[in-house]
Amino acid sequence: MLIVQKYGGTSVGDIERIKNVAKRIVETKRAGNDVVAVVSAMAGETDRLINLAYKLTPDPDLRELDVLISTGEQVSTALVAMAIISLGYKAVSLQNHQIKIVTDSSFTKARIRKIDAYKLNALLDQGIIPVIAGFQGIDEEGNITTLGRGGSDTTAVAIAASLMDYRNDIICEIYTDVDGVYTADPNIVPDAKKLDEISYEEMLELAVSGAKVLQARSVGLAMKYNIPLYVKSSFTDSEGTLITKETQKMIEEVVVRGIASDKNQAKITLLGIPDDPMVIIELFKAIADANIVIDMITQTSSVEGLTDIGFTVSKPDFKKAFEISKDFAKKNGLRNVEGDLNVGKVSVIGIGMVSHAGIASRMFTALARSGIKVQMISTSEIKISCIIKESDVEKAVKVLHEEFKLSETEQRSQRSKIKN
Amino acid sequence: MLIVQKYGGTSVGDIERIKNVAKRIVETKRAGNDVVAVVSAMAGETDRLINLAYKLTPDPDLRELDVLISTGEQVSTALVAMAIISLGYKAVSLQNHQIKIVTDSSFTKARIRKIDAYKLNALLDQGIIPVIAGFQGIDEEGNITTLGRGGSDTTAVAIAASLMDYRNDIICEIYTDVDGVYTADPNIVPDAKKLDEISYEEMLELAVSGAKVLQARSVGLAMKYNIPLYVKSSFTDSEGTLITKETQKMIEEVVVRGIASDKNQAKITLLGIPDDPMVIIELFKAIADANIVIDMITQTSSVEGLTDIGFTVSKPDFKKAFEISKDFAKKNGLRNVEGDLNVGKVSVIGIGMVSHAGIASRMFTALARSGIKVQMISTSEIKISCIIKESDVEKAVKVLHEEFKLSETEQRSQRSKIKN
């Protein structure tokens, strides 16, 4: 089996931890697997480098910022490779320019275009463990780029995907400082349970809805190529969470898989808009032109040719979006525009939900019984989200975790089957 | 004019100093020159990285050591480029893999094979200031290499040489923490004079004889391509020292240019060797096979078919060289082998020396008058070196500086002619 192991910043945070990472890689190799390691910068290093840049100038050139911060991962690759070699195994560190992880030229937030895995596969065939710098790439002109925060997860999945031309039976293990994906944030719900398994779609909704275990981009990429992701702690030997394709069993057995929450929400409501698609499109186009992402949108049914529209944006985008909305209202003679920064989102997530009636009504009833007023609702096949008062968010997570009896969920474990 | 400016570790030692470096580069550009900057790692950074490696393992893999320490220069290139850009000028940082500074694969002590200056020249034509990582290269397979301590000087000269296909009128400026080349070490001779100008050959002898201003390798390279080197402080505006081709004036006017000293010497003497070249070659082959460099060799005239041979090596090589010599003596039935760690070397250097009689006798007389016993002598066209007691070295430097009236030397200055 080919195992791509990604180690985050805390996992390679100091010399002792790097030695442990090397031991874990060597054990995986010794067990008969091929291993590719993808490493982040040592915890704190990226911030140290960014601070150097901002001490120099308030507006650092983005190309040079990427040249600067990409050194963090390079240091980690060299140290991890050294540590593996000192244990008597063969390893080589590889930078972006050495295995050609080609990205576009959007410095500080580049997207991977292609990876030529030929060299990587040749190294694996020689029994060598490649240790690859996560988070970075190189554009067509050879400039150094970075993928944005958390980009090392994406590197690991992209490396795994690129090796599918040469190998089957590939898994991507993400080592981090939490030991898996939980039914809710354990800081809010102390008896939240660790999930043994979750589908890509559910994980994607959890990630987008504020769970910080994995970058949504890396989950989407894993889903696209159907690469199993296994998230686990590098500090303990406890089992983690397997993120994989939905199984029939998943759909049939479990309805609600987890509760996610996100306080980084703000709401804008426009009252009395003409119920004319061309007018409404004009509003959303103006907001999109300002590079603002809209999360939820609701529209009430039309009364006398007029309708109300509510939508949410992230808190930092609120001010700009509110201005655009007010300009739009003025231009179109609307009755009123309301803005509210004190909102948050709570979401119930589960792949089986779509075929089970009554989840939504159980959700609303539970919230109402606890005195939590729902301001907006949005539903998808595997998620129901409600906008509520920001100060109600923790309480709502607890109430819903209790309502759907998630601490009692009997967790499936297919990990052992996949691992062996 | 094209000016390649090399900034050492202390010159880019902190954010304020990096801002000053950027100002100096921009001023040079604004004065109508094309500028290429070559930068070292921030002072202390290379040692910090090496310490990390040795905390991990007592015997770090050399390929990975180069990957690790080369990040130091990468950080400097990004920060210097950012600083230049923030002053409103165009700059790009360039790493080894981006301009293809191709070296052999001797990790930690690689030698430059070729540089393709096409891209560099194109950037200069666009008015862009390239900021290049010194000290490092890339081998034919794309592995990162480093050139050894002080290698940034060599990078700067090699870059200047590579641009000779496209430009003429090139000078290489070496910014460092001393303000030029002196007639003797100012720590020993307080009234030592800064030299305005010195020939490559003289500088080479000074560097090899222990003056630490420039790496001998970079001086040799500059001599080969006839690129003027200008050494000056990045902390003051005072004039530095121009290292250039010898001029007729240099040969005619000045005899002794400087006094160099080196305490890192040890002496071995073999008494009563058969005066047979084949036997003597055997000794030096055994020492060369142990990778030990011999500095001076003297041989007395033969008496009854026997001769005495003395040679010097660096102090760290003494133990090994002494063992080899004793084995050789035993095998060949020699009378005696003597070793002495308490020696040092003092040298008088000057390109005009060869045509001036009496320099050697003035040197020996001055030393004798001060009670300094000369143990070995070696002469070349531009240098006379004496091995003396280590504890006599400082005194000898002072005595010779005084004897040849170096603090009174009227210094030539051709700098202004060359600069404009």
Side-chain angles (χ1 to χ4, degrees), chain A residues 56 64 67 74 79 93 98 142, chain B residues 56 64 67 74 93 98 142:
Chain A
L56 198 63
E64 300 307 334
V67 172
Q74 183 166 334
L79 293 174
S93 65
Q98 292 170 323
Chain B
L56 198 62
E64 300 307 333
V67 171
Q74 184 165 332
S93 66
Q98 293 170 323

Side-chain angles (χ1 to χ4, degrees), chain B residues 16-316:
Chain B
E16 282 316 306
R17 287 178 175 184
I18 286 173
K19 285 184 183 173
N20 284 334
V21 162
K23 266 184 219 145
R24 196 182 281 274
I25 291 169
V26 162
E27 276 161 22
T28 312
K29 174 82 183 154
R30 197 182 287 152
N33 303 292
D34 280 337
V35 188
V36 177
V38 174
V39 296
S40 300
M42 294 169 80
E45 181 64 5
T46 305
D47 287 334
R48 183 184 77 85
L49 292 166
I50 289 176
N51 283 342
L52 274 180
Y54 281 93
K55 269 165 75 183
L56 198 62
T57 162
D59 183 29
D61 181 75
L62 294 183
R63 178 190 186 276
E64 300 307 333
L65 200 57
D66 277 356
V67 171
L68 182 70
I69 59 182
S70 66
T71 60
E73 285 75 26
Q74 184 165 332
V75 165
S76 296
T77 59
L79 293 174
V80 170
M82 272 179 202
I84 295 170
I85 293 166
S86 76
L87 294 173
Y89 282 73
K90 287 187 279 185
V92 281
S93 66
L94 293 170
Q95 312 310 314
N96 40 76
H97 58 91
Q98 293 170 323
I99 47 162
K100 309 276 181 261
I101 299 183
V102 179
T103 69
D104 60 25
S105 300
S106 309
F107 297 115
T108 75
K109 48 176 198 285
R111 300 189 74 89
I112 295 175
R113 280 191 179 151
K114 59 172 189 257
I115 299 177
D116 179 7
Y118 175 81
K119 181 173 175 179
L120 213 50
N121 186 58
L123 289 170
L124 289 169
D125 281 345
Q126 295 165 56
I128 296 170
I129 300 168
V131 182
I132 297 172
F135 173 66
Q136 54 192 253
I138 202 145
D139 72 7
E140 298 282 356
E141 283 75 45
N143 296 302
I144 296 168
T145 58
T146 67
L147 309 181
R149 286 268 162 164
S152 291
D153 293 341
T154 305
T155 304
V157 176
I159 291 284
S162 74
L163 282 161
M164 290 174 73
D165 290 344
Y166 301 94
R167 311 271 169 145
N168 34 43
D169 213 9
I170 299 178
I171 186 170
C172 189
E173 297 181 344
I174 308 284
Y175 287 88
T176 177
D177 48 3
V178 297
D179 59 358
V181 180
Y182 278 76
T183 51
D185 183 345
N187 294 318
I188 300 176
V189 183
D191 63 349
K193 284 202 67 164
K194 188 167 65 192
L195 295 161
D196 288 337
E197 207 175 299
I198 188 170
S199 71
Y200 296 120
E201 291 84 351
E202 290 167 323
M203 186 63 213
L204 213 45
E205 291 288 2
L206 277 173
V208 172
S209 300
K212 287 169 206 75
V213 181
L214 268 180
Q215 220 201 5
R217 225 164 122 189
S218 62
V219 180
L221 198 61
M223 181 164 78
K224 182 173 168 188
Y225 290 99
N226 193 22
I227 294 163
L229 284 176
Y230 185 58
V231 176
K232 92 182 276 313
S233 167
S234 61
F235 302 114
T236 69
D237 279 327
S238 65
E239 290 284 303
T241 300
L242 182 69
I243 303 160
T244 183
K245 208 162 61 172
E246 64 179 70
T247 59
Q248 194 55 33
K249 205 172 154 216
M250 259 189 218
I251 297 169
E252 286 167 5
E253 279 187 6
V254 180
V255 179
V256 173
R257 300 286 289 151
I259 313 295
S261 60
D262 183 8
K263 289 189 172 181
N264 185 25
Q265 293 269 330
K267 187 181 74 166
I268 293 170
T269 316
L270 294 100
L271 304 174
I273 298 189
D275 192 4
D276 171 353
M278 294 315 291
V279 175
I280 294 168
I281 283 168
E282 189 197 325
L283 169 67
F284 291 121
K285 187 174 177 308
I287 287 170
D289 287 348
N291 217 6
I292 294 169
V293 175
I294 289 178
D295 183 6
M296 283 170 62
I297 303 179
T298 57
Q299 183 175 357
T300 58
S301 51
S302 177
V303 176
E304 293 174 10
L306 293 178
T307 182
D308 298 342
I309 285 194
F311 64 92
T312 63
V313 295
S314 71
K315 282 190 164 63

Side-chain angles (χ1 to χ4, degrees), chain A residues 177-361:
Chain A
D177 49 2
V178 298
D179 59 357
V181 181
Y182 278 76
T183 52
D185 183 345
N187 294 318
I188 301 176
V189 184
D191 64 348
K193 283 202 68 165
K194 187 168 66 194
L195 295 161
D196 289 337
E197 207 176 300
I198 189 169
S199 71
Y200 296 120
E201 292 83 353
E202 291 167 323
M203 187 62 215
L204 214 44
E205 292 289 3
L206 278 173
V208 171
S209 299
K212 287 169 205 75
V213 180
L214 270 180
Q215 219 201 5
R217 224 165 122 189
S218 62
V219 179
L221 198 61
M223 181 163 79
K224 183 172 168 191
Y225 290 100
N226 192 24
I227 293 163
L229 285 177
Y230 186 57
V231 177
K232 93 182 276 314
S233 166
S234 60
F235 302 116
T236 70
D237 279 327
S238 64
E239 290 285 303
T241 300
L242 181 70
I243 304 160
T244 182
K245 206 162 60 171
E246 63 179 70
T247 59
Q248 194 55 31
K249 205 172 152 216
M250 261 188 216
I251 297 170
E252 286 167 6
E253 278 186 7
V254 180
V255 179
V256 174
R257 300 285 289 151
I259 313 295
S261 60
D262 182 10
K263 290 186 170 182
N264 185 24
Q265 293 270 328
K267 187 181 71 167
I268 293 170
T269 315
L270 295 100
L271 304 174
I273 298 189
D275 191 5
D276 172 352
M278 293 314 292
V279 175
I280 295 169
I281 283 168
E282 189 198 322
L283 169 66
F284 291 122
K285 189 176 174 310
I287 288 170
D289 286 348
N291 216 7
I292 294 169
V293 175
I294 290 176
D295 182 8
M296 281 168 65
I297 304 179
T298 58
Q299 183 176 356
T300 58
S301 51
S302 177
V303 176
E304 293 173 8
L306 292 179
T307 182
D308 298 343
I309 285 193
F311 64 92
T312 63
V313 295
S314 71
K315 283 190 162 64
D317 284 338
F318 173 75
K319 198 179 155 200
K320 184 77 189 154
F322 197 42
E323 274 168 21
I324 293 168
S325 301
K326 283 191 288 189
D327 288 350
F328 171 86
K330 204 170 167 185
K331 191 179 151 204
N332 289 281
L334 301 202
R335 281 208 302 273
N336 210 352
V337 182
E338 290 166 3
D340 188 354
L341 264 168
N342 298 311
V343 297
K345 184 169 71 168
V346 63
S347 306
V348 165
I349 289 157
I351 207 158
M353 260 167 52
V354 68
S355 59
H356 286 255
I359 301 289
S361 74

